[in-house]
Amino acid sequence: MDDFLAARSQMALSLGFHIIYACIGMVMPFFMAVSHYKWLRTNNQVYQDITKAWSKGVAIFFATGAVSGTMLSFELGLLWPKFMEHAGPIFGMPFSLEGTAFFIEAIALGFFLYGWNKLNKWFHWFTGIVVGVSGLASGILVVAANAWMNSPAGFDYVNGQYLNIDPIAAMFNKAWFSQALHMCLAAFTATGFAVAGVHALMILKKQNKDFHFKAFKIAAAFATICAVLQPISGDISAKDVAKRQPAKLAAMEALYQTQKPAPLLIGGIVDEKNKKVNYAIEIPGALSFLAHGDFHTEVKGLDKIPESEHPPIAITHYAFQVMVGIGSLLVLISLTYFVALLRKKPLAELKWILWLFVCAIPLGYIALEAGWVVTEVGRQPWIIYGVMRTKDAVTPMPGIAWSFYLFSAIYASLSVIVIFLLYRQIKMVPVLYSSSHQSNIK
């Protein structure tokens, strides 16, 4: 493995792990806040038990997210020094603000975890809200920095120099809103389905049904609503990409030839040698509509883009298909769930719906990872789109492959620890739940 590939692989690995930890850490506090609010309003002990159980999960993912995020910040400087040398002063503001949001989140989480029976009950609940809001703000700020890489703004690039730097314009670049909206909805959808699926599994196993039914309903509400909204944000993102990054859009659809109107491809196997897609289902004019809002508008293909600026087409296309396919499936599950609610049938009688949520546990995160592959791989060969190529930003230091192997081992170990802690936490729920209710009876 050469150093350039090792550097890219290490960054991909780090982002792949961190994005899951970060998304869970920034979404779960909102689930926690809802259950906490229900406990304060109804004084139903089950909601307090749910809140306490979820808060332990939040603490686990806050810690792992902090570790993986810190590693990422070091990697940016160690692996991509040329990038940080020029880009740091331009898009450093969202990173510094993200650090502030992180510290606020840490302080609020400390108040929440250790504030039971010590703080005013509504102030205690408010600290949980602060954990969620500051975590969500952290995510949006990081996405704003990534969006700047896709849509550079806030500087003038003259003769290889970065002049007239405007950090505010850099942070609120043309891509930040569409990327942040799409990412936030994806985080809520993925985490919501994962959490709801775990509780659905416990219901099917007939363990503490009251506890798991109430927890399931909270998580499922977030998951299904956000899943239905996700295609709207996807449409906004697609139209934005069509304007700013036509090469990425062409790679997403493996559109080798400029077409008017352009069909939307579903599935298919990319044949990069012959520059075509085999066995795909074509929907005439659909890509023109999705990209430009008109079924007859021309969509720029890869034939009008220099080959030196082509992203890896097969990877981008397959990742995009996975993301859209899973997203559509989660929308279908959500609509099915809504119909079941409207029919007012008890979920206990609809075991097949619970099994749908169980099967969906990993799907949201697979789609999330696929979406980031589209975002990052689809931007290649640029690290700053249209300004700096990725190969020009990598460190000249040798031995990066060993760093990749080391970080792979660290992340694998971290994941094993997280899985063990979560498994232990889930196994402890019946014990905590039973002891809590026995104390209330006494």
Side-chain angles (χ1 to χ4, degrees):
M1 180 181 291
D2 63 60
D3 289 335
F4 179 51
L5 179 59
R8 289 186 63 187
S9 299
Q10 182 175 324
M11 204 70 195
L13 177 79
S14 301
L15 282 169
F17 277 99
H18 179 70
I19 195 173
I20 294 177
Y21 301 148
C23 284
I24 297 173
M26 76 184 197
V27 168
M28 281 297 296
F30 290 98
F31 299 1
M32 185 176 72
V34 171
S35 62
H36 194 178
Y37 178 79
K38 284 180 174 288
W39 173 62
L40 293 174
R41 297 295 296 177
T42 65
N43 204 32
N44 188 328
Q45 184 65 37
V46 178
Y47 286 116
Q48 186 189 42
D49 294 336
I50 294 170
T51 305
K52 288 186 174 181
W54 279 348
S55 68
K56 290 180 173 63
V58 170
I60 291 170
F61 281 102
F62 176 82
T64 52
V67 171
S68 59
T70 302
M71 291 168 69
L72 269 172
S73 64
F74 281 113
E75 287 176 19
L76 280 172
L78 292 172
L79 299 178
W80 313 102
K82 289 293 182 182
F83 168 70
M84 292 304 296
E85 176 187 352
H86 298 293
I90 305 172
F91 80 150
M93 178 173 283
F95 275 128
S96 61
L97 292 175
E98 190 274 336
T100 303
F102 172 79
F103 283 120
I104 294 172
E105 182 183 6
I107 294 168
L109 182 60
F111 273 110
F112 187 84
L113 292 175
Y114 299 102
W116 291 99
N117 303 320
K118 297 181 179 67
L119 302 173
N120 173 277
K121 64 180 183 179
W122 285 106
F123 177 75
H124 184 222
W125 172 78
F126 177 72
T127 61
I129 294 291
V130 173
V131 173
V133 172
S134 55
L136 191 63
S138 293
I140 291 173
L141 288 165
V142 170
V143 171
N146 178 267
W148 178 84
M149 297 165 69
N150 287 299
S151 179
F155 66 97
D156 293 324
Y157 187 63
V158 181
N159 297 326
Q161 293 186 314
Y162 298 78
L163 307 173
N164 303 322
I165 293 173
D166 183 349
I168 300 296
M171 184 165 65
F172 295 107
N173 55 78
K174 292 181 180 179
W176 85 269
F177 175 75
S178 60
Q179 280 197 209
L181 176 63
H182 199 57
M183 182 64 208
C184 289
L185 288 174
F188 275 96
T189 301
T191 304
F193 271 103
V195 174
V198 170
H199 289 291
L201 183 61
M202 295 299 105
I203 293 168
L204 291 166
K205 288 185 174 182
K206 299 180 180 180
Q207 294 185 9
N208 299 326
K209 284 189 175 181
D210 190 29
F211 176 95
H212 290 294
F213 262 122
K214 286 180 169 58
F216 169 82
K217 288 178 180 178
I218 293 172
F222 279 98
T224 52
I225 292 171
C226 291
V228 171
L229 294 175
Q230 187 74 326
I232 299 173
S233 71
D235 181 66
I236 294 171
S237 295
K239 287 179 169 57
D240 178 62
V241 169
K243 292 178 182 177
R244 295 182 299 94
Q245 295 177 296
K248 178 184 285 188
L249 180 70
M252 287 160 57
E253 282 297 321
L255 186 68
Y256 283 99
Q257 302 296 323
T258 300
Q259 297 188 46
K260 178 183 178 181
L264 181 71
L265 300 184
I266 299 177
I269 298 175
V270 178
D271 182 352
E272 292 187 317
K273 182 179 179 180
N274 296 309
K275 298 184 178 180
K276 63 178 182 178
V277 181
N278 299 316
Y279 314 114
I281 299 172
E282 293 190 4
I283 303 177
L287 181 58
S288 294
F289 179 77
L290 291 174
H292 302 290
D294 188 323
F295 283 101
H296 302 287
T297 303
E298 179 181 278
V299 178
K300 189 176 183 180
L302 292 162
D303 59 322
K304 289 193 175 181
I305 299 167
E307 285 200 18
S308 62
E309 297 180 12
H310 285 190
I313 298 159
I315 295 174
T316 307
H317 176 71
Y318 294 140
F320 180 68
Q321 294 290 311
V322 169
M323 179 186 69
V324 173
I326 292 178
S328 301
L329 179 59
L330 294 181
V331 169
L332 184 60
I333 294 174
S334 301
L335 295 176
T336 304
Y337 179 68
F338 293 153
V339 171
L341 291 179
L342 289 173
R343 294 178 65 183
K344 296 182 179 179
K345 278 194 173 184
L347 285 173
E349 299 177 10
L350 301 171
K351 291 185 178 180
W352 61 276
I353 287 184
L354 295 175
W355 276 115
L356 285 177
F357 277 88
V358 172
C359 293
I361 289 174
L363 294 183
Y365 292 115
I366 295 172
L368 191 69
E369 296 284 8
W372 271 99
V373 169
V374 172
T375 300
E376 296 301 295
V377 177
R379 188 182 62 245
Q380 300 306 312
W382 307 100
I383 192 168
I384 306 175
Y385 188 72
V387 178
M388 179 184 287
R389 291 178 180 265
T390 308
K391 66 179 182 180
D392 296 328
V394 72
T395 178
M397 294 296 293
I400 301 301
W402 292 106
S403 174
F404 168 63
Y405 300 143
L406 175 62
F407 273 73
S408 297
I410 291 173
Y411 277 112
S413 302
L414 190 61
S415 297
V416 170
I417 293 169
V418 169
I419 292 170
F420 168 74
L421 291 173
L422 290 177
Y423 177 77
R424 190 180 69 170
Q425 182 59 33
I426 292 170
K427 295 290 285 185
M428 286 177 64
V429 165
V431 177
L432 294 172
Y433 182 78
S434 300
S435 62
S436 174
H437 280 262
Q438 287 172 5
S439 64
N440 287 334
I441 293 171
K442 291 177 184 178

